[in-house]
Amino acid sequence: VLSRTSKWNRDGIRYGLLQEDYSHCPWRLLIACVLMSRVSSVSVKTRCINDFFEKYPTPSAVLDNSFNPASAYEILRPLGLFENRLRSCVEISKKFLQMATFDVGLTPYLKIYGVGEFGCNSFTIFIRDGAEDLYPKDKNLARYCNSKRNNL
């Protein structure tokens, strides 16, 4: 199960955000947000995210008994903060498989380890299709939301 609650970009315009590549799948979107956070190099982010999804294409693959943290480390090492990122990937995967309707937020019930304001805002924008009503602090998400509002 990969795409239970996502909404595709209705206007079909690309804005150059990595989140757009994963807006078809809530799980992939949040994993990508966790992996891209605090990394400035687009090429490093893109390579590591692509390699992660190639090795672990589903939440079940992350939680499988054959999951090897050493292998994940080799993929995620260039991003730094390995333990935190890996724990976040595991927690997102668990919640995705456990929740009847997958959701994320900053309230205690919806909070997932490692998913902060950036991840929650990305989820609202790209999965819930809520860009028009959101005013995020992140400059790239804010620019995206402003563009969406101006193109209504």
Side-chain angles (χ1 to χ4, degrees):
V1 177
L2 281 180
S3 60
R4 296 192 286 196
T5 59
S6 62
K7 304 211 187 288
W8 188 244
N9 181 357
R10 291 194 176 131
D11 61 13
I13 300 170
R14 298 265 316 164
Y15 293 86
L17 298 177
L18 281 175
Q19 293 95 314
E20 292 175 292
D21 295 335
Y22 305 103
S23 62
H24 65 283
C25 175
W27 175 76
R28 285 185 177 229
L29 177 86
L30 287 179
I31 296 289
C33 286
V34 163
L35 298 183
M36 76 172 76
S37 179
R38 299 185 193 141
V39 179
S40 59
S41 172
V42 174
S43 63
V44 170
K45 288 190 261 197
T46 303
R47 185 184 79 246
C48 291
I49 291 168
N50 289 341
D51 290 352
F52 184 86
F53 288 137
E54 185 176 316
K55 181 89 173 167
Y56 309 106
T58 64
S60 299
V62 172
L63 301 174
D64 191 301
N65 288 337
S66 64
F67 179 77
N68 182 352
S71 177
Y73 174 78
E74 287 308 312
I75 295 168
L76 303 179
R77 184 179 45 80
L79 302 173
L81 303 169
F82 172 73
E83 281 103 19
N84 291 338
R85 291 185 201 278
L86 183 63
R87 179 176 171 201
S88 298
C89 290
V90 169
E91 293 300 320
I92 292 166
S93 298
K94 283 181 186 175
K95 292 283 188 179
F96 187 80
L97 294 175
Q98 291 171 350
M99 295 174 110
T101 302
F102 183 71
D103 205 356
V104 66
L106 297 175
T107 62
Y109 176 73
L110 295 175
K111 180 71 176 122
I112 300 174
Y113 178 86
V115 180
E117 186 175 6
F118 174 74
C120 290
N121 284 342
S122 293
F123 189 87
T124 298
I125 293 165
F126 295 100
I127 302 302
R128 294 183 186 143
D129 198 27
E132 291 85 7
D133 301 321
L134 193 66
Y135 295 85
K137 293 177 187 171
D138 179 84
K139 67 179 181 178
N140 293 317
L141 292 179
R143 191 175 12 228
Y144 180 90
C145 290
N146 288 335
S147 293
K148 289 292 209 171
R149 278 190 289 279
N150 292 333
N151 290 327
L152 289 177

